[in-house]
Short mmCIF file of all heavy atoms in Angstrom, two decimals:
data_model
loop_
_atom_site.label_atom_id
_atom_site.label_comp_id
_atom_site.label_asym_id
_atom_site.label_seq_id
_atom_site.Cartn_x
_atom_site.Cartn_y
_atom_site.Cartn_z
N THR C 139 -130.22 68.14 123.22
CA THR C 139 -130.01 68.79 121.91
C THR C 139 -129.20 67.86 121.00
O THR C 139 -128.17 67.32 121.43
CB THR C 139 -129.29 70.15 122.11
OG1 THR C 139 -130.15 70.99 122.87
CG2 THR C 139 -128.96 70.81 120.80
N ARG C 140 -129.71 67.69 119.78
CA ARG C 140 -129.07 66.74 118.86
C ARG C 140 -128.58 67.44 117.61
O ARG C 140 -129.27 68.32 117.09
CB ARG C 140 -130.10 65.68 118.40
CG ARG C 140 -130.41 64.57 119.39
CD ARG C 140 -129.26 63.59 119.53
NE ARG C 140 -128.83 62.96 118.28
CZ ARG C 140 -129.35 61.85 117.82
NH1 ARG C 140 -130.34 61.25 118.45
NH2 ARG C 140 -128.89 61.32 116.69
N ALA C 141 -127.40 67.05 117.14
CA ALA C 141 -126.92 67.49 115.83
C ALA C 141 -126.78 66.23 114.97
O ALA C 141 -125.99 65.33 115.29
CB ALA C 141 -125.58 68.21 115.94
N THR C 142 -127.60 66.16 113.93
CA THR C 142 -127.63 64.96 113.10
C THR C 142 -126.91 65.25 111.79
O THR C 142 -127.16 66.29 111.17
CB THR C 142 -129.11 64.60 112.78
OG1 THR C 142 -129.86 64.74 113.98
CG2 THR C 142 -129.27 63.20 112.27
N PRO C 143 -126.00 64.34 111.39
CA PRO C 143 -125.30 64.57 110.11
C PRO C 143 -126.30 64.73 108.96
O PRO C 143 -127.30 64.03 108.91
CB PRO C 143 -124.46 63.30 109.93
CG PRO C 143 -124.31 62.74 111.30
CD PRO C 143 -125.57 63.10 112.04
N ASP C 144 -126.00 65.71 108.08
CA ASP C 144 -126.90 66.00 106.96
C ASP C 144 -126.04 66.44 105.78
O ASP C 144 -125.52 67.57 105.80
CB ASP C 144 -127.89 67.10 107.36
CG ASP C 144 -128.78 67.52 106.22
OD1 ASP C 144 -129.37 66.62 105.58
OD2 ASP C 144 -128.89 68.73 105.95
N GLY C 145 -125.81 65.57 104.84
CA GLY C 145 -124.88 65.88 103.75
C GLY C 145 -123.50 66.10 104.34
O GLY C 145 -123.03 65.32 105.17
N ASP C 146 -122.88 67.24 103.97
CA ASP C 146 -121.56 67.50 104.57
C ASP C 146 -121.69 68.30 105.87
O ASP C 146 -120.68 68.63 106.49
CB ASP C 146 -120.65 68.24 103.56
CG ASP C 146 -121.22 69.60 103.17
OD1 ASP C 146 -122.38 69.89 103.53
OD2 ASP C 146 -120.49 70.37 102.52
N GLY C 147 -122.92 68.62 106.27
CA GLY C 147 -123.09 69.43 107.49
C GLY C 147 -123.96 68.74 108.52
O GLY C 147 -123.87 67.51 108.68
N TRP C 148 -124.79 69.54 109.18
CA TRP C 148 -125.56 69.02 110.34
C TRP C 148 -126.92 69.69 110.39
O TRP C 148 -127.10 70.76 109.85
CB TRP C 148 -124.81 69.39 111.65
CG TRP C 148 -123.39 68.96 111.67
CD1 TRP C 148 -122.33 69.63 111.15
CD2 TRP C 148 -122.89 67.75 112.22
NE1 TRP C 148 -121.17 68.91 111.35
CE2 TRP C 148 -121.48 67.75 112.01
CE3 TRP C 148 -123.46 66.66 112.87
CZ2 TRP C 148 -120.67 66.71 112.43
CZ3 TRP C 148 -122.65 65.62 113.30
CH2 TRP C 148 -121.27 65.65 113.07
N ARG C 149 -127.82 69.03 111.13
CA ARG C 149 -129.10 69.65 111.46
C ARG C 149 -129.22 69.64 112.99
O ARG C 149 -129.06 68.60 113.62
CB ARG C 149 -130.27 68.90 110.84
CG ARG C 149 -130.32 69.11 109.35
CD ARG C 149 -131.67 68.82 108.72
NE ARG C 149 -131.64 69.23 107.33
CZ ARG C 149 -131.99 70.44 106.91
NH1 ARG C 149 -132.41 71.35 107.75
NH2 ARG C 149 -131.93 70.74 105.63
N LEU C 150 -129.50 70.82 113.53
CA LEU C 150 -129.48 70.99 114.98
C LEU C 150 -130.89 71.19 115.51
O LEU C 150 -131.63 72.05 115.02
CB LEU C 150 -128.62 72.22 115.31
CG LEU C 150 -128.42 72.58 116.78
CD1 LEU C 150 -127.50 71.56 117.46
CD2 LEU C 150 -127.80 73.98 116.90
N THR C 151 -131.25 70.41 116.54
CA THR C 151 -132.58 70.54 117.14
C THR C 151 -132.43 70.44 118.66
O THR C 151 -131.75 69.54 119.16
CB THR C 151 -133.52 69.40 116.64
OG1 THR C 151 -133.68 69.59 115.24
CG2 THR C 151 -134.88 69.47 117.30
N GLY C 152 -133.05 71.38 119.36
CA GLY C 152 -133.00 71.30 120.83
C GLY C 152 -133.34 72.63 121.48
O GLY C 152 -133.81 73.57 120.80
N HIS C 153 -133.12 72.69 122.78
CA HIS C 153 -133.58 73.84 123.59
C HIS C 153 -132.56 74.06 124.71
O HIS C 153 -132.23 73.13 125.45
CB HIS C 153 -134.97 73.46 124.18
CG HIS C 153 -135.52 74.45 125.14
ND1 HIS C 153 -136.54 74.11 126.02
CD2 HIS C 153 -135.24 75.75 125.39
CE1 HIS C 153 -136.85 75.18 126.76
NE2 HIS C 153 -136.07 76.17 126.40
N LYS C 154 -132.04 75.28 124.83
CA LYS C 154 -131.11 75.63 125.92
C LYS C 154 -131.79 76.68 126.79
O LYS C 154 -132.70 77.37 126.33
CB LYS C 154 -129.81 76.22 125.35
CG LYS C 154 -129.07 75.30 124.38
CD LYS C 154 -128.34 74.20 125.11
CE LYS C 154 -127.62 73.26 124.18
NZ LYS C 154 -126.96 72.15 124.89
N HIS C 155 -131.32 76.83 128.03
CA HIS C 155 -131.85 77.94 128.83
C HIS C 155 -130.78 78.54 129.75
O HIS C 155 -129.70 77.98 129.89
CB HIS C 155 -133.14 77.55 129.59
CG HIS C 155 -132.95 76.75 130.84
ND1 HIS C 155 -133.95 76.66 131.81
CD2 HIS C 155 -131.92 76.02 131.30
CE1 HIS C 155 -133.52 75.90 132.79
NE2 HIS C 155 -132.31 75.50 132.52
N PHE C 156 -131.12 79.71 130.33
CA PHE C 156 -130.22 80.45 131.23
C PHE C 156 -128.96 80.96 130.51
O PHE C 156 -127.90 81.09 131.15
CB PHE C 156 -129.75 79.59 132.41
CG PHE C 156 -130.82 79.18 133.38
CD1 PHE C 156 -130.61 78.09 134.23
CD2 PHE C 156 -132.02 79.87 133.48
CE1 PHE C 156 -131.58 77.71 135.15
CE2 PHE C 156 -132.99 79.48 134.39
CZ PHE C 156 -132.77 78.40 135.23
N ILE C 157 -129.02 81.22 129.22
CA ILE C 157 -127.79 81.54 128.49
C ILE C 157 -127.45 83.03 128.67
O ILE C 157 -128.15 83.91 128.17
CB ILE C 157 -127.89 81.15 127.00
CG1 ILE C 157 -128.31 79.66 126.91
CG2 ILE C 157 -126.58 81.41 126.28
CD1 ILE C 157 -127.49 78.68 127.77
N SER C 158 -126.35 83.27 129.41
CA SER C 158 -125.96 84.62 129.81
C SER C 158 -125.65 85.48 128.59
O SER C 158 -124.92 85.05 127.69
CB SER C 158 -124.71 84.58 130.69
OG SER C 158 -124.98 83.89 131.87
N ASP C 159 -126.20 86.69 128.61
CA ASP C 159 -125.95 87.70 127.57
C ASP C 159 -126.51 87.29 126.22
O ASP C 159 -126.18 87.90 125.20
CB ASP C 159 -124.44 87.98 127.44
CG ASP C 159 -124.16 89.47 127.23
OD1 ASP C 159 -125.06 90.29 127.49
OD2 ASP C 159 -123.04 89.81 126.81
N GLY C 160 -127.37 86.27 126.22
CA GLY C 160 -127.85 85.70 124.96
C GLY C 160 -128.64 86.67 124.11
O GLY C 160 -128.64 86.55 122.87
N ALA C 161 -129.33 87.64 124.73
CA ALA C 161 -130.12 88.59 123.94
C ALA C 161 -129.20 89.50 123.12
O ALA C 161 -129.60 90.06 122.11
CB ALA C 161 -131.02 89.42 124.85
#
Side-chain angles (χ1 to χ4, degrees):
T139 297
R140 282 288 303 272
T142 316
D144 176 50
D146 62 350
W148 306 84
R149 288 200 172 270
L150 182 71
T151 296
H153 174 198
K154 302 284 179 183
H155 79 162
F156 294 160
I157 307 310
S158 297
D159 220 16

